[in-house]
């Protein structure tokens, strides 16, 4: 009850703050103190609601549906804390929490500027108000008897919760989602400033305020996306870091727009141009965050994305639509009302020379937006049809865009604002272009032979060496404005890592029989067997390291991929092992464990229900299955169980009933050998089943009949582990480039904050 009351207080206080700020701005009423007071009440209520939910989780209050559904007593403290945002309800509260914290810094930043405080805080508080509405409709403070009316007795307290999905039981779960939500929340600040600028027509003054926030939002959102890719690469076992999944894309698109806006904001700061462009991009960036929220939370992508949440209910669906629609309508109206004044101001801007830095920044932004448009088109396809876009579509469409983007990133550093001396400009390009050409030729001789990748490589090194030259010039001038150069160097390395690790990645599947080495990529891999280990974060499941010895040139290393049967997911979970070296990663992912074979697969026969078939001298008639010991419905907590096949066996004219057993241990089938009652030298096994359904008109059982001669002729195979082994060349360059790029963003914030302080003074 306390949590719900706090959310209602949040909504009420935010409403009062919004109305007070609106009256302050539009009616010139003196209500700033009341507006600020109720905004702080809004923030405090969100903070208390967040602290309350966290206390419920940490103290295992399983009478609350959200706590029961996502947490359990077995989780360690870090993962237990992460269940705060594991579901829809908690992630909405996390968003509201970060929006509130950011709001404190925002109100302190704008409170001394009478032109911006009221309109900015009015719009920004409206964001928190909408989140409060979502939290009322989808509350993390609902009890289980409220969530399951008539099914659960009032005041019932479960002994334990369902727990966290094993896929999410990872260190990155604690870090990745919060950073992503900080990025989402902080993009509301440029949005609020853009609308405030339309209200007060301060088309130049807003830039100095919005630049640090746009940099911070881009940096945090970009970092969150990169960490998500690293998490996928190291844990999921499919060998990649980006699958162009619709929900992954929905985070990428607003980030791309924010990057485009950053470049044109820099142009406006230097030349007072691009006023209309910057307002529109700042608005679109946040509207795309809301669109991303709709795609992820509405359940509309649950059949086409592994990241999507299930359908939240009609009320929340409608609220999400209203959330997006309201801000779209506000934005469109504000732009329409101010279109004339914006156009008049734009006419006064200095005519742009094509050979100038602001022109290149603008064109570069358009190129980035083109990439975003392609991605959003492919991402939105499942909304309008049941089909999804193939990964190759994104790769093929974005490659030429990336090449042009890198070239523009390279030449931008050597252009001046407004106009550039052509001769000096081309002279400055000689060094980075020559270095890029030489490097590309050397790499092409040894590695690359496709023209498109040769061009791509040149563009990468052109941008890289341009960044290095720029960095050197900045250091010589003893300036601190080298954030952009660092970010561009990181971008070049990032693309280099993409080419090396994806285009030139190699993969092979190999069966590893126990104790017998198999060759792949010049390495010898030998399966040494399984080793159980206890995971303190998941004591409910027994996990196994499947040790693989990797040898080359008298050097050896033990790779430890993991497989186990998950009681939560009711299936086998697999985690890869990544051996990282300076020039490559060796990526070993387990696929399947094949139990020791005690019979030749040729001796396995399918017998339909009520069919009689003679197998190796014994007539077998399959009667039916006995599933009495198999888990039914939701009662799947028993991971080990048996199913039985009832047969009639006829041998030497005598027919006897026999019950054959097929055990499932840790999710893997193990056939049990049964002696034929008429002759103990003959063995029977039930090895598999097909249940009657649309594809199978009758049920059938797989039966093996073996005599002593067949047993002696068959050479028993040891346990086999089927694995995928991949070589990922220079993937470390990708991660290095990513974090250098993000560091460049964060470093640039220092310069922009100094500009803001200077402007205030």
């Amino acid at each position: 009850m306390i949590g719900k009351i706090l959310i209602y207080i949040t909504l009420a206080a935010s409403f009062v703050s919004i109305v007070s700020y609106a009256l302050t701005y539009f009616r010139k009423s003196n209500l700033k103190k009341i507006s600020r007071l109720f905004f702080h009440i809004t923030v405090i209520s969100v903070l208390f609601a967040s602290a309350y939910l966290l206390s419920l989780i940490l103290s295992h209050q399983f009478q609350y549906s959200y706590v029961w559904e996502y947490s359990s007593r077995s989780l360690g403290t870090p993962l237990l804390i992460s269940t705060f945002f594991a579901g829809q309800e908690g992630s909405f509260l996390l968003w509201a929490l970060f929006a509130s914290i950011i709001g404190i810094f925002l109100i302190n930043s704008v409170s001394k500027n009478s032109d911006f405080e009221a309109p900015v805080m009015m719009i920004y508080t409206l964001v928190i108000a909408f989140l409060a509405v979502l939290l009322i409709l989808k509350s993390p403070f609902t009890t289980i008897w409220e969530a399951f009316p008539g099914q659960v007795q009032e005041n019932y307290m479960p002994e334990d919760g369902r727990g966290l999905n094993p896929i999410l039981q990872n260190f990155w779960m604690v870090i990745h989602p919060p950073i992503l939500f900080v990025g989402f929340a902080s993009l509301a600040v440029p949005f609020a400033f853009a609308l405030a600028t339309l209200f007060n027509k301060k088309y130049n003054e807003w830039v100095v305020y919005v630049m640090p926030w746009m940099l911070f939002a881009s940096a945090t959102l970009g970092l969150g996306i990169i960490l998500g890719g690293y998490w996928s690469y190291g844990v999921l076992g499919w060998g990649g870091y980006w699958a162009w999944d619709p929900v992954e894309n929905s985070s990428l698109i607003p980030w791309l727009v924010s990057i485009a806006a950053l470049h044109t904001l820099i142009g406006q700061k230097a030349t007072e141009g691009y006023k209309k462009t910057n307002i529109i991009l700042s608005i679109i960036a946040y509207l795309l965050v809301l669109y991303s929220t709709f795609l992820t939370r509405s359940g509309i992508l649950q059949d086409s994305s592994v990241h999507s949440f299930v359908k939240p209910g009609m009320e929340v669906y409608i609220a999400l639509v209203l959330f997006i629609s309201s801000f779209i309508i506000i934005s469109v109206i504000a732009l329409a009302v101010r279109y004339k004044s914006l156009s008049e101001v734009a006419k006064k801007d200095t005519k742009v020379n094509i050979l100038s830095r602001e022109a290149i920044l603008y064109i570069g932004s358009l190129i980035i937006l083109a990439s975003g448009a392609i991605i959003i088109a492919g991402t939105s396809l499942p909304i309008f049809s049941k089909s999804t876009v193939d990964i190759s579509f994104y790769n093929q469409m974005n490659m030429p865009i990336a090449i042009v983007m890198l070239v523009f990133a390279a030449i931008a550093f050597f252009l001046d604002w407004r106009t550039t001396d052509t001769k000096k400009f081309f002279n400055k390009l000689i060094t980075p272009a020559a270095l890029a050409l030489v490097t590309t030729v050397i790499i092409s001789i040894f590695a690359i032979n496709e023209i498109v990748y040769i061009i791509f490589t040149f563009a990468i090194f052109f941008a890289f060496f341009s960044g290095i030259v720029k960095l050197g010039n900045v250091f010589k001038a003893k300036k601190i404005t080298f954030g952009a150069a660092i970010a561009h160097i990181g971008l070049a390395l990032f693309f280099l890592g993409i080419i090396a690790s994806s285009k030139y990645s190699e993969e092979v599947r190999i069966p590893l029989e126990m104790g017998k080495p198999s060759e792949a990529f010049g390495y010898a891999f030998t399966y040494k067997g399984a080793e159980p280990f206890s995971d303190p974060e998941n004591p409910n499941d027994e996990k196994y390291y499947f040790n693989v010895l990797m040898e080359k040139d008298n050097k050896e290393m033990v790779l430890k991929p993991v497989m186990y049967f998950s009681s939560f997911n009711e299936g086998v979970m697999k985690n890869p092992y990544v051996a990282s070296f300076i020039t490559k990663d060796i990526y070993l992912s387990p696929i399947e464990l094949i139990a020791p074979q005690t019979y030749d697969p040729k001796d396995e026969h399918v017998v339909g229900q009520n069919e009689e078939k003679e197998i190796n001298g014994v007539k077998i008639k399959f009667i039916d299955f006995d599933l009495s010991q198999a888990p039914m419905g939701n009662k799947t907590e028993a991971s080990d169980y048996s199913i039985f096949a009832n047969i009639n066996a006829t041998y030497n004219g005598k027919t006897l009933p026999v019950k054959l057993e097929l055990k499932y241990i840790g999710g893997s089938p193990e056939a049990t050998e049964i002696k034929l009652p008429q002759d103990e030298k003959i063995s029977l096994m039930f090895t598999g089943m097909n249940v009657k359904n649309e594809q199978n008109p009758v049920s059938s059982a797989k039966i093996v009949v073996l005599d002593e001669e067949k047993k002696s002729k068959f050479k028993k195979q040891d346990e086999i582990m089927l694995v995928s082994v991949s070589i990922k060349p220079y993937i470390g360059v990708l991660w290095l480039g990513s974090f250098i790029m993000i560091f460049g963003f964060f470093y640039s914030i220092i310069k922009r904050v100094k500009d803001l302080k200077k402007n205030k003074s």
Side-chain angles (χ1 to χ4, degrees), residues 282-345:
S282 297
I283 289 172
I284 289 174
Y286 192 66
L287 292 179
L288 286 170
V289 167
L290 301 184
Y291 182 61
S292 166
T293 304
F294 174 74
L295 289 177
T296 310
R297 311 284 163 172
S298 65
I300 202 166
L301 293 179
Q302 70 180 68
D303 296 328
S304 56
S305 172
V306 296
H307 297 84
S308 182
F309 288 88
V310 296
K311 294 180 179 178
M314 185 54 66
E315 297 92 344
V316 178
Y317 186 92
I318 293 171
L320 286 169
V321 172
L322 287 174
F323 195 175
I324 300 170
S325 302
S326 299
F327 282 117
I328 290 174
I329 291 168
I330 292 169
S331 303
V332 170
I333 291 173
L335 283 166
V337 170
R338 293 291 185 240
Y339 184 79
K340 186 177 180 180
S341 66
L342 254 179
S343 299
E344 288 174 355
V345 171

Side-chain angles (χ1 to χ4, degrees), residues 733-744:
V733 175
L734 184 151
W735 306 123
L736 177 64
S738 300
F739 290 105
I740 288 175
M741 179 172 59
I742 298 301
F743 173 76

